Amino acid sequence: RKEVEQDPGPFNVPEGATVAFNCTYSNSASQSFFWYRQDCRKEPKLLMSVYSSGNEDGRFTAQLNRASQYISLLIRDSKLSDSATYLCVVNTGRRALTFGSGTRLQVQP
Amino acid sequence: ETGVTQSPTHLIKTRGQQVTLRCSSQSGHNTVSWYQQALGQGPQFIFQYYREEENGRGNFPPRFSGLQFPNYSSELNVNALELDDSALYLCASSLVASGRRAYNEQFFGPGTRLTVL
C-alpha cells in the first residue's frame, strides 16, 4: 500500500466549476500536510499547507481529518490557469516529504 | 523563482554509465534533499544532506550517492545506470536549525531530466 494515495484523475471540469480532490495517508505519525501544484514538466510548488482546523486561501480550501487520515482540497470557480497536477504531500518529521502520485486537473473553456 | 538551480537541465546516458547532477541551494539554506520523479508518479525521496553529511535516505540502492559542499551546494551521483533510472531529478533546499525536528519548507529547483537508453 502506498503511503499517500490519490485518485489520479484526470478531472475534466468546465471553467467556473467547483472540484474536490481527496487523499489518504497511512502513517499516523505524519505531522505536516501540504498540497503542491505541478505544471507539466516543471517542479512542484507549494500551494498551501493543511491544518486540522481547515484553512482557506482565496478560491482554495484545504481540510485535514487526522482520525480518518484524510486530506482534501476544494477549488471553487475553476480557472483555465488551475489546470495542473495536484500533489498531496505529508511529512513524518524525518525531514523528507512523501508525495502522492498526483491528481491531474484539466479545466475546459 | 525559488533561487534553487540545477544543472544540467537535460541529459542522455546509456545503461551502465555514471552520471553526476548538481544543485545550488537557495541563499541562506543549509540543507539539500534529492527526489526522483518517474513519469506519472510523485517525487520519491532519495536522500538529504545537512552539514555535508547524509541525513536520511529513502529506498534507493547504494549506487545512488551524494555530496554536499561547504557552500551547501550538492551533487547526486548515480553509478551503473539502468533504464528505470530515467526520470526527473529534483533537488530541494531548506533551512534547518540545529536540534530542531520540525519540518521546514523545501523549495524545489527546476530539475534535471535524465534519459537512460
Short mmCIF file of all heavy atoms in Angstrom, two decimals, chain B residues 4-13 18-24 34 74-76 87-91 109-115:
data_model
loop_
_atom_site.label_atom_id
_atom_site.label_comp_id
_atom_site.label_asym_id
_atom_site.label_seq_id
_atom_site.Cartn_x
_atom_site.Cartn_y
_atom_site.Cartn_z
N VAL B 4 16.75 28.14 -6.32
CA VAL B 4 17.45 26.85 -6.39
C VAL B 4 17.72 26.54 -7.86
O VAL B 4 16.80 26.57 -8.68
CB VAL B 4 16.58 25.72 -5.77
CG1 VAL B 4 17.33 24.38 -5.84
CG2 VAL B 4 16.21 26.06 -4.33
N THR B 5 18.97 26.27 -8.17
CA THR B 5 19.32 25.97 -9.56
C THR B 5 19.88 24.56 -9.68
O THR B 5 20.49 24.05 -8.72
CB THR B 5 20.34 26.98 -10.12
OG1 THR B 5 21.54 26.91 -9.33
CG2 THR B 5 19.79 28.40 -10.05
N GLN B 6 19.66 23.95 -10.84
CA GLN B 6 20.15 22.60 -11.10
C GLN B 6 20.79 22.55 -12.47
O GLN B 6 20.35 23.25 -13.39
CB GLN B 6 19.01 21.57 -11.03
CG GLN B 6 18.44 21.39 -9.64
CD GLN B 6 17.42 20.26 -9.59
OE1 GLN B 6 16.23 20.50 -9.32
NE2 GLN B 6 17.86 19.05 -9.84
N SER B 7 21.80 21.71 -12.58
CA SER B 7 22.42 21.51 -13.89
C SER B 7 22.85 20.06 -14.06
O SER B 7 23.15 19.38 -13.07
CB SER B 7 23.65 22.43 -14.04
OG SER B 7 24.63 22.11 -13.07
N PRO B 8 22.83 19.55 -15.28
CA PRO B 8 22.25 20.19 -16.46
C PRO B 8 20.73 20.11 -16.44
O PRO B 8 20.15 19.49 -15.54
CB PRO B 8 22.83 19.33 -17.60
CG PRO B 8 22.96 17.96 -16.99
CD PRO B 8 23.33 18.19 -15.55
N THR B 9 20.07 20.69 -17.42
CA THR B 9 18.60 20.62 -17.47
C THR B 9 18.15 19.30 -18.07
O THR B 9 17.14 18.73 -17.67
CB THR B 9 18.02 21.77 -18.30
OG1 THR B 9 18.65 21.78 -19.57
CG2 THR B 9 18.27 23.10 -17.61
N HIS B 10 18.91 18.82 -19.06
CA HIS B 10 18.61 17.54 -19.69
C HIS B 10 19.90 16.76 -19.88
O HIS B 10 20.98 17.35 -20.04
CB HIS B 10 17.98 17.74 -21.08
CG HIS B 10 16.67 18.43 -21.07
ND1 HIS B 10 16.54 19.80 -21.03
CD2 HIS B 10 15.40 17.94 -21.07
CE1 HIS B 10 15.26 20.12 -21.03
NE2 HIS B 10 14.55 19.02 -21.05
N LEU B 11 19.76 15.43 -19.88
CA LEU B 11 20.93 14.57 -20.00
C LEU B 11 20.50 13.24 -20.60
O LEU B 11 19.47 12.69 -20.19
CB LEU B 11 21.52 14.35 -18.61
CG LEU B 11 22.95 13.93 -18.40
CD1 LEU B 11 23.90 14.86 -19.14
CD2 LEU B 11 23.27 13.96 -16.92
N ILE B 12 21.28 12.74 -21.54
CA ILE B 12 21.02 11.41 -22.10
C ILE B 12 22.24 10.55 -21.85
O ILE B 12 23.36 10.95 -22.19
CB ILE B 12 20.69 11.49 -23.60
CG1 ILE B 12 19.44 12.33 -23.83
CG2 ILE B 12 20.50 10.07 -24.17
CD1 ILE B 12 19.10 12.55 -25.30
N LYS B 13 22.02 9.39 -21.26
CA LYS B 13 23.11 8.46 -20.97
C LYS B 13 22.70 7.06 -21.45
O LYS B 13 21.52 6.81 -21.75
CB LYS B 13 23.38 8.41 -19.46
CG LYS B 13 23.99 9.68 -18.89
CD LYS B 13 25.44 9.79 -19.27
CE LYS B 13 26.13 10.91 -18.53
NZ LYS B 13 27.59 10.98 -18.87
N GLN B 18 27.78 6.32 -15.74
CA GLN B 18 27.64 7.04 -14.48
C GLN B 18 27.24 8.48 -14.79
O GLN B 18 27.55 9.00 -15.85
CB GLN B 18 28.99 7.00 -13.74
CG GLN B 18 29.02 7.74 -12.42
CD GLN B 18 29.53 9.17 -12.55
OE1 GLN B 18 30.16 9.53 -13.54
NE2 GLN B 18 29.23 9.99 -11.57
N VAL B 19 26.51 9.10 -13.84
CA VAL B 19 26.08 10.48 -14.06
C VAL B 19 26.21 11.28 -12.76
O VAL B 19 26.07 10.72 -11.67
CB VAL B 19 24.61 10.51 -14.57
CG1 VAL B 19 23.64 10.07 -13.48
CG2 VAL B 19 24.24 11.87 -15.09
N THR B 20 26.51 12.56 -12.91
CA THR B 20 26.57 13.49 -11.78
C THR B 20 25.64 14.66 -12.05
O THR B 20 25.75 15.31 -13.10
CB THR B 20 27.99 14.00 -11.55
OG1 THR B 20 28.84 12.90 -11.21
CG2 THR B 20 28.01 15.01 -10.40
N LEU B 21 24.74 14.90 -11.14
CA LEU B 21 23.79 16.02 -11.24
C LEU B 21 24.14 17.01 -10.14
O LEU B 21 24.55 16.62 -9.04
CB LEU B 21 22.35 15.53 -11.07
CG LEU B 21 21.92 14.34 -11.94
CD1 LEU B 21 20.47 14.00 -11.69
CD2 LEU B 21 22.18 14.61 -13.41
N ARG B 22 23.94 18.31 -10.43
CA ARG B 22 24.35 19.35 -9.50
C ARG B 22 23.20 20.25 -9.08
O ARG B 22 22.27 20.47 -9.86
CB ARG B 22 25.47 20.17 -10.11
CG ARG B 22 26.73 19.35 -10.34
CD ARG B 22 27.84 20.12 -11.00
NE ARG B 22 29.06 19.31 -11.07
CZ ARG B 22 29.31 18.41 -12.02
NH1 ARG B 22 28.43 18.21 -12.99
NH2 ARG B 22 30.42 17.72 -11.99
N CYS B 23 23.30 20.76 -7.86
CA CYS B 23 22.24 21.59 -7.29
C CYS B 23 22.88 22.70 -6.46
O CYS B 23 23.74 22.43 -5.62
CB CYS B 23 21.35 20.73 -6.41
SG CYS B 23 20.12 21.64 -5.45
N SER B 24 22.44 23.93 -6.71
CA SER B 24 22.85 25.05 -5.86
C SER B 24 21.63 25.48 -5.04
O SER B 24 20.58 25.77 -5.60
CB SER B 24 23.32 26.22 -6.72
OG SER B 24 24.54 25.90 -7.33
N TRP B 34 17.18 15.40 -2.24
CA TRP B 34 17.06 14.97 -3.63
C TRP B 34 15.87 14.03 -3.77
O TRP B 34 15.62 13.17 -2.91
CB TRP B 34 18.33 14.23 -4.07
CG TRP B 34 19.51 15.12 -4.30
CD1 TRP B 34 20.48 15.47 -3.41
CD2 TRP B 34 19.86 15.76 -5.54
NE1 TRP B 34 21.40 16.29 -4.01
CE2 TRP B 34 21.05 16.48 -5.31
CE3 TRP B 34 19.28 15.80 -6.82
CZ2 TRP B 34 21.67 17.23 -6.32
CZ3 TRP B 34 19.90 16.53 -7.81
CH2 TRP B 34 21.08 17.25 -7.55
N SER B 74 25.19 20.82 -3.75
CA SER B 74 25.17 19.37 -3.61
C SER B 74 25.28 18.69 -4.97
O SER B 74 24.96 19.29 -6.02
CB SER B 74 23.86 18.94 -2.93
OG SER B 74 23.75 17.54 -2.81
N GLU B 75 25.74 17.47 -4.95
CA GLU B 75 25.77 16.61 -6.14
C GLU B 75 25.04 15.30 -5.84
O GLU B 75 25.09 14.79 -4.71
CB GLU B 75 27.22 16.25 -6.51
CG GLU B 75 28.00 17.35 -7.15
CD GLU B 75 29.41 16.90 -7.55
OE1 GLU B 75 29.79 15.76 -7.23
OE2 GLU B 75 30.10 17.72 -8.16
N LEU B 76 24.40 14.79 -6.88
CA LEU B 76 23.83 13.45 -6.84
C LEU B 76 24.57 12.63 -7.88
O LEU B 76 24.67 13.05 -9.03
CB LEU B 76 22.34 13.49 -7.18
CG LEU B 76 21.66 12.18 -7.56
CD1 LEU B 76 21.65 11.21 -6.40
CD2 LEU B 76 20.23 12.43 -8.05
N ALA B 87 14.20 9.60 -15.38
CA ALA B 87 13.27 10.33 -14.52
C ALA B 87 13.67 11.79 -14.46
O ALA B 87 14.72 12.18 -14.99
CB ALA B 87 13.28 9.75 -13.09
N LEU B 88 12.83 12.58 -13.79
CA LEU B 88 13.16 13.96 -13.45
C LEU B 88 13.77 13.93 -12.04
O LEU B 88 13.16 13.40 -11.12
CB LEU B 88 11.90 14.82 -13.47
CG LEU B 88 12.07 16.30 -13.08
CD1 LEU B 88 12.90 17.04 -14.15
CD2 LEU B 88 10.71 16.97 -12.92
N TYR B 89 14.98 14.46 -11.91
CA TYR B 89 15.63 14.51 -10.61
C TYR B 89 15.52 15.93 -10.06
O TYR B 89 16.00 16.88 -10.68
CB TYR B 89 17.08 14.04 -10.72
CG TYR B 89 17.15 12.55 -10.94
CD1 TYR B 89 17.03 12.02 -12.23
CD2 TYR B 89 17.28 11.67 -9.88
CE1 TYR B 89 17.03 10.65 -12.44
CE2 TYR B 89 17.29 10.30 -10.08
CZ TYR B 89 17.16 9.80 -11.36
OH TYR B 89 17.17 8.44 -11.56
N LEU B 90 14.91 16.02 -8.90
CA LEU B 90 14.64 17.31 -8.28
C LEU B 90 15.48 17.48 -7.03
O LEU B 90 15.62 16.54 -6.25
CB LEU B 90 13.16 17.40 -7.89
CG LEU B 90 12.15 17.37 -9.03
CD1 LEU B 90 10.79 16.92 -8.53
CD2 LEU B 90 12.06 18.73 -9.69
N CYS B 91 16.03 18.65 -6.84
CA CYS B 91 16.62 18.94 -5.54
C CYS B 91 15.80 20.02 -4.88
O CYS B 91 15.15 20.84 -5.55
CB CYS B 91 18.10 19.30 -5.63
SG CYS B 91 18.45 21.00 -6.08
N GLY B 109 14.13 23.07 -7.04
CA GLY B 109 14.72 23.56 -8.28
C GLY B 109 13.96 23.03 -9.47
O GLY B 109 13.04 22.22 -9.31
N PRO B 110 14.33 23.47 -10.69
CA PRO B 110 13.59 23.10 -11.90
C PRO B 110 13.80 21.65 -12.33
O PRO B 110 13.05 21.15 -13.15
CB PRO B 110 14.12 24.07 -12.95
CG PRO B 110 15.48 24.42 -12.46
CD PRO B 110 15.41 24.41 -10.97
N GLY B 111 14.80 20.98 -11.76
CA GLY B 111 15.01 19.57 -12.07
C GLY B 111 15.97 19.32 -13.22
O GLY B 111 16.23 20.20 -14.04
N THR B 112 16.49 18.11 -13.24
CA THR B 112 17.29 17.60 -14.36
C THR B 112 16.56 16.39 -14.90
O THR B 112 16.25 15.46 -14.16
CB THR B 112 18.70 17.16 -13.90
OG1 THR B 112 19.45 18.30 -13.50
CG2 THR B 112 19.43 16.45 -15.04
N ARG B 113 16.28 16.42 -16.20
CA ARG B 113 15.59 15.29 -16.82
C ARG B 113 16.64 14.35 -17.39
O ARG B 113 17.37 14.71 -18.30
CB ARG B 113 14.65 15.77 -17.92
CG ARG B 113 13.72 14.66 -18.42
CD ARG B 113 12.53 15.23 -19.20
NE ARG B 113 11.68 16.08 -18.38
CZ ARG B 113 10.74 15.64 -17.56
NH1 ARG B 113 10.52 14.35 -17.43
NH2 ARG B 113 10.01 16.49 -16.87
N LEU B 114 16.71 13.15 -16.82
CA LEU B 114 17.69 12.14 -17.23
C LEU B 114 16.99 11.07 -18.05
O LEU B 114 15.98 10.52 -17.63
CB LEU B 114 18.34 11.50 -16.00
CG LEU B 114 19.25 10.30 -16.26
CD1 LEU B 114 20.48 10.71 -17.06
CD2 LEU B 114 19.66 9.64 -14.95
N THR B 115 17.54 10.79 -19.22
CA THR B 115 17.06 9.69 -20.05
C THR B 115 18.17 8.67 -20.17
O THR B 115 19.31 9.02 -20.53
CB THR B 115 16.67 10.19 -21.45
OG1 THR B 115 15.66 11.19 -21.32
CG2 THR B 115 16.14 9.04 -22.31
#
